[in-house]
Each structure stands twice: as C-alpha cells, then as structure tokens.
Amino acid sequence: MKRDLFDALQNARAERRAVAVITGIDNGEQRMISRTGAGNDLLAGVLDVAFRFDQSGVHGDQFVHVYNPPLRLVIIGAVHIAQGVIPMALQAGYDISVIDPRGAFATGARFPDVALHVEWPDEILPKLGLDGRTAFLALTHDPKIDDPALALALKSEAFYIGALGSKKTQGSRVDRLRAQGFDDAQLARIHGPIGLAIGAKGAAEIAISIMAEMTKTLRLGD
Amino acid sequence: MILDQASEWLNEGRKVALATVIETWGSAPQPVGSQLVIDGEGNFIGSVSGGCVEGAVVTEALDAIASGKPKVLAFGVADETAWKVGLACGGKIRVYVEPLGQ
C-alpha cells in the first residue's frame, strides 16, 4: 500500500468515517472508497453488504477490506451492572463512554478505564453523536435520567438500544415515550427487559446477557 | 490497532510490510481482515492465524519489503508445506502480503 493511500486510510479511521480499501489481488492495484460514495461504484452492491455486515472478502479478483469505525458503547448510569459490562466490552473492542449526572456514582475510582461524563444525558449525548456503530444502554432505572437519553437514542442510528428494567417497567417506559410522540416501530428498537433471556442472576450474569444481545444485534441485525 | 503500529514504525523510518487474511475456509482461527505488521528486522505485531503460520508469513514479508512487490500466500492442510508450518487446526487461509509506504 502506497504511503498516501495509507495516510488517507488512517485519517478516515481517526475521523470515524467508514471506508473500504479495494485491492486487485493479481495486479496489486489499490483504491479507497468511502461508504457515502459507494453507491455509484462498480462494486456498489458488494460494498453495501460489506459495510452493513462489516464483512471483508474476495469478490472475483478484488479483495474488499472494510474499515468501519471502531465500535462504541454509550452507557447511561454509572451503576453496578455497567461495571460488569465494561471489561467485556473493552475486550470486544468498544470505545466506552459512561454518563451519569450523579457525582457519587460517576467516580474515576469506580470507572477507571472509560470516558466518564458527570453530566445530564441530554447535555452530553448531542456532543458525542450516536452513529450506526454505537450501542446504547440505559441502566439507571431512573426515568428522570433514562427517558430523555432514550428519546435521543431513538432519534439516532445506534445499532442497539437497551434499557434495564422489568416487563412492567418497560411497559410504563414505552407509554411515557409514546406520549412524547414515538410510534410503535420506533419504540420496538428498545430492547427491554435488556439482554438475552438466559436466566441471568446478579450483575455479572446480566452483563453477559447484555453483551450477548448487543453482539447478536451487531452481527445478525435486529 | 495494527495499522497504528504500522504508522508508528513508518514514522520511525523502518521498512514495513502488511499481511492481511483475505480468505478463509473451514476452522480458520482468525477472520478475514485480520492483519500482521512486520518491520525490516522481522519484528511483528498482530496475527493472521493465531500463531500457526506467522513464521512463514514473516519470511515472505521480508521478501516483499526487499522486492517491493505484493504476493498472495495460501496455507492449508492440503498443502504439504503449509502442513509443515503447522496450520493443524484444519482450516485454509489466503494471506495478502504487501510492502507498506514504499
């Protein structure tokens, strides 16, 4: 790979732009294409699937290498379950932001390895920007904090939206958000009760069920 | 990530090659897109096979740095040489090796 192409690739990654590098396996010719410009490409169909499913591969004599932006995890609530999710999410390659306006919860001692925001979600979320490579968890159990955050997540392209709480809690949550104007199709994006149904008991096992559901949604779709 | 390591090495003035898994069949341990970055001294970071064929890939990478030309390597149980270098997990992989930044 030539230096100018490599530098362009590194810039795209730093700016969270999805790009693909296409290599002619036989002749070594290479070019980079951005996801936004892929619709007019000769390989448009291939590129669409490749970006969507994060799937690099050989097509004819060309290798299409997808460079999607790194995965991100935004967690509302500096709570016990978040402490269980974070080590696994770090290993799976997520950049993590934890948001909680309650200073007693959101301390560096409790959350040493993540970007910690002691702010209200509706102040910080617009600055973070939730894109299609972002998973979103609302874990506080407190509608004052979770609801405005969920409203912003529903308006975003986040690939996974999960909210902690029982079926009853989820029911009343959905009612409140419906009253704000969200329709059933939008509200169906919220995974609640959160996590795959594996009978999880306690924070660690709930964290496993959340990671499993996030991964399933990322790889297989909603 | 591997590319950041590559970038660092290039900026230090090292010769660098990049190896990328382009195809896999069967129970290959590393998915398509996995990368190994190699410098002119044979130092490497990353993985294309979970350790099975890295040695052979590094040798080929040094050739690619010397020749300035990319090449495609194939490893699998059907290939006697590959069997010797140890892709014993039963999978097959193809690896694209290219000089970087030349």
Side-chain angles (χ1 to χ4, degrees):
Chain A
M1 191 182 297
K2 295 204 172 73
R3 186 65 200 247
D4 55 350
L5 181 62
F6 180 63
D7 289 342
L9 171 60
Q10 287 291 82
N11 283 339
R13 292 178 57 235
E15 293 165 6
R16 292 188 65 81
R17 283 186 284 116
V19 297
V21 173
I22 301 167
T23 302
I25 298 169
D26 301 328
N27 59 19
E29 279 175 21
Q30 286 178 316
R31 64 195 176 95
M32 188 173 94
I33 183 144
S34 69
R35 183 173 190 172
T36 47
N40 299 321
D41 196 85
L42 279 173
L43 291 172
V46 163
L47 288 167
D48 179 48
V49 173
F51 279 118
R52 206 141 38 94
F53 295 100
D54 197 29
Q55 209 162 60
S56 301
V58 171
H59 302 273
D61 58 356
Q62 316 235 64
F63 173 57
V64 175
H65 197 169
V66 172
Y67 290 93
N68 275 319
L71 293 164
R72 269 200 312 188
L73 174 60
V74 173
I75 302 176
I76 309 298
V79 297
H80 194 45
I81 289 173
Q83 288 175 299
V85 169
I86 287 166
M88 283 188 280
L90 284 172
Q91 286 206 34
Y94 287 84
D95 291 334
I96 304 177
S97 297
V98 173
I99 300 167
D100 198 321
R102 303 167 299 180
F105 286 82
T107 67
R110 282 161 53 81
F111 294 90
D113 303 319
V114 303
L116 198 54
H117 302 276
V118 191
E119 289 179 74
W120 287 88
D122 43 352
E123 289 166 357
I124 183 69
L125 282 178
K127 290 179 212 160
L128 292 181
L130 308 177
D131 59 24
R133 297 278 290 169
T134 303
F136 172 93
L137 309 177
L139 302 181
T140 71
H141 252 137
D142 181 343
K144 280 202 307 299
I145 303 172
D146 281 354
D147 280 12
L150 280 164
L152 287 169
L154 287 172
K155 289 174 190 160
S156 79
E157 290 176 11
F159 75 84
Y160 176 86
I161 300 173
L164 191 68
S166 65
K167 276 185 187 153
K168 192 166 158 233
T169 304
Q170 171 68 2
S172 41
R173 172 187 292 136
V174 164
D175 289 342
R176 289 193 304 274
L177 289 166
R178 192 180 286 114
Q180 291 184 31
F182 291 101
D183 63 28
D184 286 345
Q186 290 171 304
L187 292 167
R189 288 178 65 201
I190 304 176
H191 293 265
I194 199 169
L196 285 188
I198 56 172
K201 277 193 165 53
E205 292 183 10
I206 293 169
I208 290 169
S209 78
I210 293 172
M211 278 306 299
E213 192 172 56
M214 272 166 52
T215 307
K216 179 168 179 261
T217 310
L218 172 69
R219 299 299 174 200
L220 304 177
D222 243 329
Chain B
M1 193 199 168
I2 306 306
L3 294 183
D4 299 323
Q5 183 66 60
S7 198
E8 210 177 298
W9 283 353
L10 283 175
N11 291 337
E12 288 171 10
R14 300 197 208 183
K15 303 273 191 194
V16 178
L18 188 64
T20 307
V21 177
I22 60 171
E23 279 185 293
T24 67
W25 298 265
S27 61
Q30 290 288 104
V32 171
S34 301
Q35 289 179 316
L36 185 70
V37 59
I38 305 98
D39 77 0
E41 311 274 287
N43 297 301
F44 63 93
I45 306 263
S47 178
V48 290
S49 73
C52 305
V53 300
E54 268 70 9
V57 173
V58 168
T59 307
E60 296 288 348
L62 293 174
D63 275 4
I65 288 174
S67 72
K69 290 195 167 56
K71 64 172 89 175
V72 178
L73 312 174
F75 299 100
V77 287
D79 177 331
E80 186 61 25
T81 333
W83 179 244
K84 279 185 197 145
V85 301
L87 202 65
C89 43
K92 286 201 286 180
I93 61 173
R94 281 216 296 166
V95 179
Y96 188 79
V97 180
E98 60 188 315
L100 186 63
Q102 288 188 4

